[in-house]
Amino acid sequence: LGSAFVAGAMAGSMADLIMHPVDTINTRLKVSRAPTVRGGTLGYAAQTVYSEGMFSLYRGIGATMAQALPMNAFWFVTYEGCKRQGAKYVDTEYAPAVHFCSAAFGELVSSVFYVPFDVVKTRMQLGANPRLSSGGNVTSSTNYTGTFSALGTIWRSEGVAGLYSGYRACIVSDCSVSALQFMFYERLKTVLTDI
C-alpha cells in the first residue's frame, strides 16, 4: 500500500494542477448569468484572461494543492486496500462489484478531507468580486485573501456546515463517477491483458 500511497498522491496532484484552469472556467460558467460569449468555452476563457489576467485561471490553486496530496493518497490507499481484501474474500466473478464498492468507499473516505478545500477553491475561483463574476448569483461582494484565510472566514461565519456545503450532492456525484470509472477500468484492464 505504500507505493499506492505515493503513486496515487503524485498522479492525482499532477492531474489537479494541470486541470485547474479548466475547472476555474467550468465553475464560472456554471454560475454566470452573463450572455453567451462568442467562441463558447474558449471564448469565455480568453475573455477572462483578457479582463483579469492569466493568473485569474489559477485562483483557488492553493486550496487545490493543499488537499491534493493527502486526498489522492487516502483515496488510492483505501481503494487498493478494499480491492485486496475483496479479492481475498469474494469470488472472482464478483470482481466488478468489489472494484465498484472499493472506488466508492475510497471517494467517501477522501471526501471528508477534500470537500472543505473544494468549497474554498470554488469560492476563490469566482474571483475578486463573486457577485460580478456570477452575474449576481453570489451575494458576496468580496472574496478571500488566501486558502487559510478563506477556511477561517467560512468556519467563523458559517461553521462546519459552511465548509461542507453541497456535501451530499458531491458524495452522490463523486462516489458514482469513481465507482463506475474504476469498475470499467479494472474490467477493461483484465480483458485487454487477456488478449
Side-chain angles (χ1 to χ4, degrees), residues 28-172:
R28 287 184 172 207
L29 284 170
K30 284 179 182 175
V31 298
S32 179
R33 289 187 190 171
T36 306
V37 175
R38 210 171 117 193
T41 303
L42 289 176
Y44 186 85
Q47 179 183 356
T48 301
V49 169
Y50 177 76
S51 61
E52 300 177 39
M54 185 64 181
F55 292 110
S56 65
L57 298 179
Y58 289 93
R59 285 200 178 101
I61 192 71
T64 296
M65 295 321 293
Q67 60 87 23
L69 277 170
M71 184 273 294
N72 287 305
F74 282 118
W75 189 93
F76 275 99
V77 166
T78 304
Y79 174 71
E80 288 295 329
C82 289
K83 189 172 86 169
R84 285 182 187 169
Q85 289 302 311
K88 284 182 191 176
Y89 300 107
V90 178
D91 197 353
T92 54
E93 74 178 280
Y94 299 109
V98 169
H99 300 140
F100 183 92
C101 293
S102 298
F105 190 62
E107 199 68 43
L108 185 63
V109 168
S110 64
S111 71
V112 173
F113 191 82
Y114 78 76
V115 168
F117 286 97
D118 201 48
V119 168
V120 167
K121 175 202 66 151
T122 302
R123 292 185 187 191
M124 291 181 77
Q125 284 174 325
L126 294 175
N129 189 337
R131 183 168 169 66
L132 182 63
S133 67
S134 68
N137 287 356
V138 179
T139 57
S140 174
S141 61
T142 60
N143 214 324
Y144 313 102
T145 58
T147 301
F148 294 103
S149 159
L151 282 169
T153 302
I154 295 168
W155 175 270
R156 285 188 300 279
S157 64
E158 302 173 44
V160 174
L163 291 172
Y164 285 90
S165 297
Y167 184 73
R168 286 185 206 131
C170 179
I171 291 306
V172 169

